[in-house]
Amino acid sequence: MTTTREPIDAIDARLQHFNYFDQTDSDQKWELFDHARTHAPVVQTDDEASGGPFYLLTRYEDVRHVMEDWETFSSTQSPLVATGVPSLSPIDDDPPFQADMRKLLNPLFSRSALAPYEQPMQETATALIDEWIHDGRVEILNRFAWPYIGRMLIKVIFNDLTEDELNVAQEIALEVAEAATPEVFARLFSICAEYLANAKERGITGDGVLARLVNGTVNGEPIPTDKQIGCLGILVLGGLDTTRAAIGNITYRLTQQPGLEERLRDPAWVRRDMDEFLRLDSPVGAMARVATRDVEIHGVQIRKGERVQARFDAANRDPEKFADPGTLHFDEARGGHAAFGMGVHRCLGSNMARMQIEIAFAELLSRIKNLRLAPDAEIVWASGQSNCLHAVNIEFDRV
Ligand code: HEM
């Protein structure tokens, strides 16, 4: 076992068996990452239950380096944990295929391409708020964020489906949200395959995601069917948990710091403050990469075929990059956070996520005020790959 120093104390030992699915490890992760950053920046973890062994990277500069050097640190065969789902394109691909897929998809997720969804997003949010505003309290993740994110994501991804097909896809997205079991994943991928086949059969035209996947080419060749299916899959999976977590995390922070709610009533918060929330509570904690050659980081040998776990969340709390990283600071330039990843795989859906978060809080705060945790609220961060709360029970007054 190779680390930058001998495992001389308990915290080193805990790091070596770090399992992000374990609730205790998860609860103590900030302490563990702080320790790793200082004393063991490339520590080998051996836990197989969490997909290991891995070399755990916690320093901002190391995470950035790995994300940018895709030739040495490949995304193929690198998911943190084997999910049993087909390869997801472009997230499980390397350039040039990944880059060509991004060229095909990026225009559909620009802010201007998403503009037609602004009104439906507002309407969806308003309808959901109507359901619980009279109660004076709500659990924000399940009664607002999930259905809002799920319905809109499916509308954008499957914008060229029939109404019936859309309803089925929305139901499955909500099922994925409730229980990400192998059966639900299997259903999601089979429905993606079915919709692609239907789209081909009816000679789909237009400029939606399905049309681009069916009619598009990569390097002059049609996109292989398994890549088309994997692409629809990652669009759904990549956009659900993440943005939902962000809405829950931001709501929680609003209840904790006087004055934050007022800040968010100013539309300028979107450009000025949103990134700081995403930095502090990065919804995607980490991703993995596999070494394509023997390589050394801080004197630690990583052999070809070994994997690294690059922690976006730890990078975002690296004091070398962000002063006082455990606290929200809005009044200074805090650019360059890693919450949407870095390098060629930087999030395809970041514009959409921002727009969904912006509209969610615009609608919420136009209807409710004085957001506070309900007396019976239990704030528990979930274990796993995400930084996400189990539930955010709030009380509020009506505007
Ligand atoms: C706050 C919300 C979101 C966060 C924090 C987030 C975070 C990330 C991160 C960290 C990556 C990089 C993965 C890597 O390097 O391996 C990524 C990639 C990706 N995200 Fe997001 N994401 C969010 C929302 C979305 C949405 C709404 C969609 C769908 C529309 C989406 C689709 C994707 C896709 C397809 C990729 C893979 C891009 C590629 O491999 O080139 N994400 N995201």
Side-chain angles (χ1 to χ4, degrees):
M1 140 122 224
T2 326
T3 59
T4 48
R5 66 171 191 151
E6 286 302 300
I8 49 168
D9 59 20
I11 196 159
D12 281 322
R14 279 186 6 236
L15 261 175
Q16 286 159 16
H17 308 304
F18 178 67
N19 169 3
Y20 50 83
F21 288 123
D22 179 84
Q23 193 64 49
T24 309
D25 280 4
S26 197
D27 291 345
Q28 295 172 350
K29 73 179 162 197
W30 304 119
E31 184 194 347
L32 291 172
F33 296 161
D34 283 349
H35 181 88
R37 246 187 256 107
T38 313
H39 301 291
V42 193
V43 61
Q44 195 175 29
T45 67
D46 60 9
D47 186 84
E48 289 184 12
S50 59
F54 287 113
Y55 291 90
L56 190 74
L57 302 180
T58 46
R59 288 187 184 171
Y60 180 91
E61 279 307 323
D62 295 338
V63 171
R64 189 175 62 79
H65 166 72
V66 161
M67 290 296 133
E68 289 180 354
D69 184 1
W70 57 265
E71 281 166 304
T72 307
F73 298 99
S74 165
S75 287
T76 58
Q77 289 148 32
S78 71
L80 273 183
V81 183
T83 51
V85 301
S87 147
L88 303 172
S89 184
I91 208 164
D92 292 340
D93 290 318
D94 292 331
F97 190 88
Q98 180 269 350
D100 286 342
M101 287 294 280
R102 288 296 297 257
K103 269 189 220 139
L104 195 78
L105 296 167
N106 283 348
L108 299 178
F109 292 91
S110 69
R111 188 72 202 221
S112 57
L114 293 168
Y117 297 100
E118 222 168 285
Q119 199 187 332
M121 274 184 202
Q122 288 160 346
E123 288 165 3
T124 305
T126 306
L128 287 166
I129 297 168
D130 284 343
E131 289 176 12
W132 45 257
I133 190 161
H134 298 286
D135 304 338
R137 57 173 293 153
V138 66
E139 196 289 294
I140 211 80
L141 285 169
N142 290 311
R143 298 208 57 203
F144 180 70
W146 259 142
Y148 164 70
I149 297 300
R151 283 179 207 162
M152 289 318 303
L153 185 70
I154 293 298
K155 236 187 198 351
V156 172
I157 298 173
F158 294 109
N159 75 337
D160 21 29
L161 286 188
T162 64
E163 203 56 36
D164 283 351
E165 287 174 323
L166 202 63
N167 289 339
V168 175
Q170 284 178 336
E171 270 165 36
I172 295 176
L174 290 179
E175 276 178 37
V176 172
E178 273 162 24
T181 61
E183 293 73 34
V184 176
F185 277 138
R187 240 159 75 69
L188 171 68
F189 282 89
S190 97
I191 208 89
C192 290
E194 187 187 318
Y195 289 174
L196 278 163
N198 293 349
K200 264 175 229 170
E201 204 176 293
R202 66 173 182 266
I204 191 170
T205 53
D207 200 23
V209 174
L210 280 176
R212 281 198 174 215
L213 289 175
V214 168
N215 301 325
T217 55
V218 163
N219 207 10
E221 298 289 329
I223 300 164
T225 305
D226 62 328
K227 295 282 184 191
Q228 296 180 11
I229 298 171
C231 181
L232 287 181
I234 183 60
L235 284 171
V236 174
L237 298 175
L240 268 180
D241 241 350
T242 48
T243 321
R244 166 193 180 260
I247 291 175
N249 297 348
I250 296 173
T251 306
Y252 166 61
R253 295 291 171 193
L254 288 192
T255 66
Q256 297 303 293
Q257 203 168 314
L260 276 193
E261 191 183 309
E262 279 319 301
R263 266 191 101 83
L264 266 67
R265 291 186 186 283
D266 178 349
W269 89 276
V270 172
R271 292 204 179 285
R272 202 185 48 195
D273 308 333
M274 193 192 289
D275 285 289
E276 180 62 356
F277 285 103
L278 295 171
R279 178 198 66 78
L280 183 68
D281 298 318
S282 312
V284 177
M287 292 296 285
R289 296 291 191 262
V290 59
T292 58
R293 60 178 177 86
D294 292 356
V295 58
E296 208 179 285
I297 307 181
H298 299 304
V300 176
Q301 267 287 322
I302 299 174
R303 303 213 178 277
K304 181 177 175 178
E306 290 186 320
R307 299 194 308 149
V308 298
Q309 180 181 147
R311 299 291 322 187
F312 298 124
D313 51 6
N316 276 343
R317 292 195 184 199
D318 182 344
E320 291 285 315
K321 173 74 181 167
F322 305 104
D324 189 17
T327 308
L328 291 166
H329 286 279
F330 298 113
D331 299 325
E332 55 197 76
R334 287 261 220 194
H337 71 72
F340 285 118
M342 291 184 264
V344 293
H345 289 276
R346 194 180 178 284
C347 182
L348 169 71
S350 63
N351 290 317
M352 169 141 171
R354 281 177 195 285
M355 183 171 160
Q356 286 187 299
I357 296 169
E358 175 182 352
I359 292 175
F361 283 98
E363 296 305 312
L364 282 171
L365 297 180
S366 71
R367 311 274 305 276
I368 63 175
K369 64 180 180 184
N370 301 331
L371 278 63
R372 52 203 181 266
L373 282 185
D376 57 350
E378 280 184 51
I379 290 303
V380 181
W381 293 92
S383 62
Q385 194 176 348
S386 314
N387 286 294
C388 177
L389 289 160
H390 276 296
V392 186
N393 274 295
I394 58 163
E395 291 181 348
F396 53 79
D397 303 318
R398 292 180 69 167
V399 168

